[in-house]
């Protein structure tokens, strides 16, 4: 912990993570910065996740450590749909393609609520029970503790189509 000239605790810094990965899936490089807001007594954060393929996800907001609370906004541009595998692997066995959209996370650090819409871009989704693969250019909606599939249209590449309606309920994406 560092202190400023008034003796107040202060945290400022930059963070870079090369080859950021989750469960062995590489997503790119993270560059972020943080600064302590002394009046509000919270950590202001901002940064981006990007890769050589041109995908980019920017994020910004704050973390209040004393309240164990976060409020962050993120915007993804052509992000690899493999990131969604973390949330959708129970329904889809294979995912390929990209997504773009805006998300908002707020709530307790260990159980934030997710809100927003992500547009799937030529995403190939293989439905686990049927093993059928569909190409999707449609929108997933995140609302608190569920992912909504509202009349999502998929095509199988052979003039067949399917519509997906329903939702996936979760407890912080763990159950």
């Amino acid at each position: 912990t560092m202190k400023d000239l008034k003796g107040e605790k202060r945290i400022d810094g930059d963070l870079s993570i090369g080859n950021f990965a989750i469960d062995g899936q590489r997503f790119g490089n993270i560059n972020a910065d943080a600064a302590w807001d002394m009046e509000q007594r919270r950590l202001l954060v901002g940064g981006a996740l990007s890769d050589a393929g041109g995908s980019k996800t920017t994020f910004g907001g704050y973390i209040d450590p004393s309240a164990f609370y976060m409020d962050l906004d993120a915007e993804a541009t052509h992000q690899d749909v493999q990131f969604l595998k973390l949330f959708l692997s129970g329904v889809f066995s294979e995912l390929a393609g990209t997504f773009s959209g805006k998300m908002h996370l707020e709530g307790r650090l260990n159980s934030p609520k997710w809100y927003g819409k992500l547009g799937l871009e030529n995403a190939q989704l293989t439905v686990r029970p049927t093993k059928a693969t569909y190409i999707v250019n449609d929108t997933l909606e995140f609302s608190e503790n569920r992912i909504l599939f509202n009349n999502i249209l998929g095509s199988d590449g052979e003039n067949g189509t399917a519509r997906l309606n329903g939702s996936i309920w979760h407890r912080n994406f763990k159950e």
Side-chain angles (χ1 to χ4, degrees):
T1 303
M2 297 178 63
K3 295 185 179 187
D4 67 4
L5 295 175
K6 295 180 184 177
E8 296 278 339
K9 289 182 182 177
R10 181 152 185 98
I11 302 170
D12 292 329
D14 298 319
L15 172 71
S16 293
I17 301 173
N19 296 315
F20 175 71
I22 299 174
D23 289 339
Q25 176 64 45
R26 186 187 171 286
F27 294 105
N29 302 313
I30 294 178
N31 291 300
D33 55 68
W36 184 251
D37 181 334
M38 300 204 5
E39 288 181 23
Q40 300 279 338
R41 306 195 70 72
R42 59 190 184 188
L43 190 62
L44 306 176
V45 295
L49 167 68
S50 57
D51 71 15
S55 73
K56 186 172 188 175
T57 299
T58 58
F59 59 90
Y62 71 87
I63 298 170
D64 183 337
S66 64
F68 205 61
Y69 185 87
M70 72 164 66
D71 189 310
L72 299 171
D73 289 303
E75 183 169 1
T77 305
H78 310 301
Q79 184 65 51
D80 190 329
V81 78
Q82 288 298 313
F83 184 78
L84 296 177
K85 195 171 192 174
L86 300 168
F87 313 122
L88 302 176
S89 62
V91 177
F92 302 107
S93 58
E94 299 294 326
L95 292 108
T98 60
F99 68 88
S100 295
K102 294 180 180 182
M103 295 293 292
H104 178 75
L105 288 78
E106 67 178 35
R108 297 199 45 84
L109 293 174
N110 62 349
S111 59
K113 305 296 183 206
W114 295 60
Y115 303 93
K117 294 181 179 183
L118 299 178
L120 299 174
E121 304 161 331
N122 292 316
Q124 296 177 31
L125 310 174
T126 301
V127 180
R128 192 171 285 286
T130 65
K131 297 183 176 39
T133 299
Y134 295 97
I135 298 167
V136 177
N137 288 289
D138 216 324
T139 303
L140 296 179
E141 185 174 345
F142 288 70
S143 178
E144 244 180 89
N145 58 351
R146 60 191 176 140
I147 303 170
L148 304 169
F149 299 85
N150 291 324
N151 211 27
I152 291 185
L153 178 63
S155 63
D156 64 5
E158 297 179 18
N159 295 325
T161 60
R163 291 222 179 252
L164 183 59
N165 286 291
S167 57
I168 297 173
W169 293 83
H170 61 85
R171 290 188 181 154
N172 304 314
F173 299 105
K174 295 175 185 162
E175 302 177 18

